């Protein structure tokens, strides 16, 4: 069962927004056994949308379309779908009611263009969108399914979760797709490949191995497709186990979860608490951690200590340390980590101080020099890294390295 | 001049990673006058890549391909390009040297598969990739240009900035593309459309208007295409001015920069300093601010005060306030903002305390209830918001609302 995703809207093609919808949709489809064949972003232009629909129809069984459903003139998805299927329009009563209730809730008068938001191609089935004024439309034509959804992420997500995915599951007998991911660090992609060459060569045709390098780490992903989930899972686990045994010392997590989630799971189980003391990562580590529901039982908080004054007053770094060794030094980052432990009263802490760039580098400490420390009551480990000259990359790599150091410290304790 | 972007790799199609490369590339292409017609993500599968290349060739003048250039077996872009153009292979001396030097730098032995990374289809021109082992390949065939680049973001970005974009500019006479963005808040998309209907209807054919709603705000984007940049800019500015005058009270920024960048620019110019006191946003506001180079002259830092203990010890919130009114209250968020001002010694502060969810809601304070305060020495403004039941969305909307409140306070001061 193959799906395609078409996103409609110039904002993606001019790079004004990043298409996060498609990745989310692809992940959900995969989980229920639907493979995504292609993701296509096209402009708000009739002929281009028509062509994309026609091409997708030749490749996929179900075509999921997002975007272009707003009330304004630049949005033409509904008109184009009606043209594609040679349909007229009807005003959908259920949608109109939702539109009216939303406008009542915000005490805004209903405009003509809002009433027109309830117009839909007359051959589609409307799936009510409880979170917005744009209807979701389900077409079954020429043996294929086309679904048009709003591009607003949370409206689309709700519709997929509550309506579209359950319908697809009911309507089709789907295969199982099983993924297993292993995160490694401190080993390059080609060395990893050489280490596990024999295992890779022994994989059956329905199991694929992929290498995903990112921020100095490599994720290995085994993907299997088959009829029944349970034996498939067992099979994948066997190969995963072989790989893990072979490259054990480089394995950080044997699950497809982010580093910080692995840390939260581990610490929650042991009843441990964590704080952060960030300079150059500027709150990014705290943000990664606090994205996850339930983090508050582990994570107590921390400081973003950009200025020297805050490093001293909030984290207790000595003025002398800052003037003698500088903010980006083993001494300062150690005091930051130990200050966080003490002032925030947690079992573990992370501290980062570096030169994210693009300015602020010196000959001794060029842009990309980052000191990271992790600490518990027994010990503090500090390391220096030399990343790149790109600010965001330095922030992300610092965070990934700090979290890896913490996970390793947790494991050895 | 039309371009298409093809990304190759299963990781996007199974939703394991979000395709951020394409948006970045599209933005850079747009800036030099190249319009992106389509963005297509395809799998690591030969026939699918061949089809995508053939279709892109019918629509675009230049086809930019990323991904699938690693040394491992799942990466088949080079083989497929050679097949597409019916070419043999040669080992590229320059690339081999770079591969060797990278392996020497990291003191790793060179493997056979690494030497093969210097193999390229023999009809292409190699553009040396100084940041990685995968070569960048430039093909000119049948009057079209095809460029194959690695998918690793920073390698691709460097190649685009230093090599590909300058070559495209040299080789073609490009039109000018001018965008102008206006960020509005507190007004719905359709009301905005009604307010500026006459201006929208008066736009000439070469200027388009788009509405981009996001997190309770609407961005308006005027896009113009023409020969000369200067008159085009003037023309766009005239329409932008008309729109701004018509909906003045809803305009937050009249530029395509993020809210926090507008705040940093404003505060830097006036020599003002800022600190943050975050609970439910968990460092996200700090992260937004510290993404921007040069923020340290304005932003001193702040606290991520998840636990009650940190709200008290770091921000000076009274124990009594927390027990009497709760952490999510006007009283607490006010003390957080004023505590940040005092303890971090800044001119302005932002404080946020809310229930991001999915758990922790009560009847009185359901998930999505967020108190935000902004303060300076003269006054503190606190407001309550009721967002959604989605954690990440609540974090993002809280940050956008907090930054909007701060910008408004800055403007009135």
């Amino acid at each position: 069962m193959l799906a395609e995703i078409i996103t409609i809207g110039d904002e993606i093609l001019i790079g004004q927004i990043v298409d996060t919808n498609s990745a989310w949709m692809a992940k959900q489809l995969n989980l229920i056994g639907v493979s995504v064949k292609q993701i296509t972003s096209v402009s708000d232009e009739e002929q281009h949308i028509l062509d994309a629909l026609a091409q997708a129809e030749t490749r996929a069984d179900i075509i999921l379309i997002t975007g272009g459903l707003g009330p304004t003139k630049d949005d033409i998805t509904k008109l184009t779908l009606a043209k594609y299927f040679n349909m007229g329009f009807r005003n959908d009563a259920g949608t109109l009611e939702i539109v009216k209730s939303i406008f009542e809730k915000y005490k805004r008068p209903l405009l003509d263009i809002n009433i027109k938001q309830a117009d839909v191609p007359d051959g589609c089935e409307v799936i009510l969108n409880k979170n917005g004024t744009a209807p979701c439309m389900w077409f079954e034509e020429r043996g294929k399914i086309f679904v048009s959804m709003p591009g607003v992420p949370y409206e689309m997500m709700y519709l997929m979760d509550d309506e579209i995915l359950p319908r697809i599951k009911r309507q089709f007998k789907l295969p199982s797709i099983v993924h297993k991911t292993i995160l490694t660090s401190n080993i390059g992609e080609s060395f990893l490949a050489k280490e596990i060459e024999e295992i890779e060569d022994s994989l059956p045709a329905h199991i694929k191995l992929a290498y995903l390098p990112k921020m100095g780490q490599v994720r290995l992903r085994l993907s299997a497709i088959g009829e029944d989930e349970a034996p498939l899972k067992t099979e994948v686990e066997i190969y995963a186990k072989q790989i893990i045994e072979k490259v054990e010392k480089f394995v950080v997590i044997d699950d497809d979860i982010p580093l910080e989630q692995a840390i939260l799971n581990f610490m929650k189980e042991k009843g441990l608490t964590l704080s952060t003391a960030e300079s150059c990562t500027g709150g990014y580590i705290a943000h990664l951690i606090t994205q996850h529901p339930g983090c508050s039982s582990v994570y107590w908080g921390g400081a973003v200590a950009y200025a020297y004054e805050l490093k001293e007053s909030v984290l207790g770094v000595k003025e002398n340390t800052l003037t003698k060794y500088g903010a980006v030094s083993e001494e300062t980052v150690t005091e930051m980590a130990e200050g966080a432990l003490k002032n925030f009263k947690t079992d573990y802490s992370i501290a980062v101080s570096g030169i994210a760039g693009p300015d602020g580098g010196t000959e001794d400490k060029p842009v990309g020099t980052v000191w990271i420390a992790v600490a518990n009551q027994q010990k503090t480990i500090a390391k220096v890294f030399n990343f790149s000259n790109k600010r965001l990359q330095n922030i992300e790599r610092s965070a990934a390295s700090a979290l890896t150091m913490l996970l390793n410290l947790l494991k050895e304790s």
Side-chain angles (χ1 to χ4, degrees), chain A residues 71-190:
Chain A
T72 51
K73 292 175 191 178
D74 53 324
D75 287 321
I76 60 164
T77 301
K78 277 198 296 197
L79 289 171
T80 311
L81 282 167
K83 186 161 185 178
Y84 186 69
F85 295 120
N86 202 15
M87 292 173 182
F89 276 93
R90 70 171 199 271
N91 194 274
D92 183 69
T95 304
L96 189 59
E97 223 163 277
I98 290 177
V99 172
K100 279 183 180 166
S101 72
I102 289 175
F103 278 76
E104 266 165 32
K105 184 180 163 192
Y106 292 105
K107 297 190 180 60
R108 286 175 174 168
L110 201 66
L111 308 176
D112 280 350
I113 53 168
N114 303 119
I115 293 169
K116 281 189 76 174
Q117 286 197 273
D119 283 353
V120 296
D122 57 16
C124 79
E125 182 188 346
V126 168
I127 294 172
L128 293 177
N129 170 8
K130 293 173 199 158
N131 296 302
T133 52
C136 171
M137 295 163 286
W138 177 284
F139 300 83
E140 299 197 13
E141 296 287 324
R142 306 187 280 270
K144 307 266 167 157
I145 291 170
F146 296 77
V147 187
S148 165
M149 285 174 281
V152 180
Y154 84 104
E155 295 182 30
M156 176 281 291
M157 285 178 188
Y158 152 79
L159 284 162
M160 284 288 287
D161 274 340
D162 285 19
E163 301 282 347
I164 311 302
L165 295 167
R167 269 173 196 244
I168 296 172
K169 279 199 277 188
R170 279 199 303 275
Q171 210 150 332
F172 299 94
K173 161 117 188 65
L174 298 168
S176 294
I177 299 180
V178 171
H179 298 293
K180 169 82 188 179
T181 305
I182 300 161
L183 178 67
T184 67
S185 79
N186 293 321
I187 181 167
E189 195 180 356
S190 42

Side-chain angles (χ1 to χ4, degrees), chain A residues 98-336:
Chain A
I98 290 177
V99 172
K100 279 183 180 166
S101 72
I102 289 175
F103 278 76
E104 266 165 32
K105 184 180 163 192
Y106 292 105
K107 297 190 180 60
R108 286 175 174 168
L110 201 66
L111 308 176
D112 280 350
I113 53 168
N114 303 119
I115 293 169
K116 281 189 76 174
Q117 286 197 273
D119 283 353
V120 296
D122 57 16
C124 79
E125 182 188 346
V126 168
I127 294 172
L128 293 177
N129 170 8
K130 293 173 199 158
N131 296 302
T133 52
C136 171
M137 295 163 286
W138 177 284
F139 300 83
E140 299 197 13
E141 296 287 324
R142 306 187 280 270
K144 307 266 167 157
I145 291 170
F146 296 77
V147 187
S148 165
M149 285 174 281
V152 180
Y154 84 104
E155 295 182 30
M156 176 281 291
M157 285 178 188
Y158 152 79
L159 284 162
M160 284 288 287
D161 274 340
D162 285 19
E163 301 282 347
I164 311 302
L165 295 167
R167 269 173 196 244
I168 296 172
K169 279 199 277 188
R170 279 199 303 275
Q171 210 150 332
F172 299 94
K173 161 117 188 65
L174 298 168
S176 294
I177 299 180
V178 171
H179 298 293
K180 169 82 188 179
T181 305
I182 300 161
L183 178 67
T184 67
S185 79
N186 293 321
I187 181 167
E189 195 180 356
S190 42
F191 289 88
L192 200 51
K194 197 161 167 66
E195 285 287 327
I196 60 173
E197 194 172 20
E198 274 180 39
I199 305 168
E200 184 169 5
D201 288 341
S202 74
L203 291 174
H206 65 286
I207 303 186
K208 285 173 86 178
L209 177 67
Y211 296 78
L212 311 165
K214 197 188 170 191
M215 296 191 292
Q217 306 187 313
V218 181
R219 249 172 231 276
L220 290 170
R221 187 191 62 232
L222 287 162
S223 306
I225 187 159
E227 260 192 39
D228 299 314
E229 194 178 337
L232 212 56
K233 264 197 171 156
T234 313
E235 210 183 349
V236 167
E237 282 299 336
I238 291 169
Y239 290 106
K241 211 178 146 213
Q242 287 179 16
I243 292 172
I244 292 167
E245 274 170 15
K246 189 79 189 146
V247 291
E248 201 174 1
K249 63 182 171 183
F250 305 109
V251 172
V252 184
I253 319 173
D254 63 346
D255 203 353
D256 190 17
I257 54 172
L259 268 167
E260 69 278 3
Q261 180 74 70
I263 288 169
L264 287 169
N265 293 350
F266 188 99
M267 295 187 80
K268 197 171 207 167
E269 203 178 296
K270 308 237 166 180
L272 297 167
T273 57
L274 175 67
S275 61
T276 50
E278 302 182 67
S279 184
C280 72
T281 45
Y284 184 61
I285 296 175
H287 168 58
L288 288 178
I289 294 168
T290 56
Q291 281 182 77
H292 300 281
C295 64
S296 58
S297 63
V298 169
Y299 182 63
W300 282 33
V304 180
Y306 239 56
Y308 272 40
E309 287 84 347
L310 267 80
K311 289 190 181 80
E312 294 173 26
S313 65
V314 182
L315 295 168
V317 176
K318 293 187 212 89
E319 195 187 340
N320 184 42
T321 307
L322 287 166
T323 41
K324 191 165 169 194
Y325 303 102
V328 181
S329 64
E330 179 168 8
E331 291 78 7
T332 296
V333 83
T334 299
E335 290 187 20
M336 284 170 70

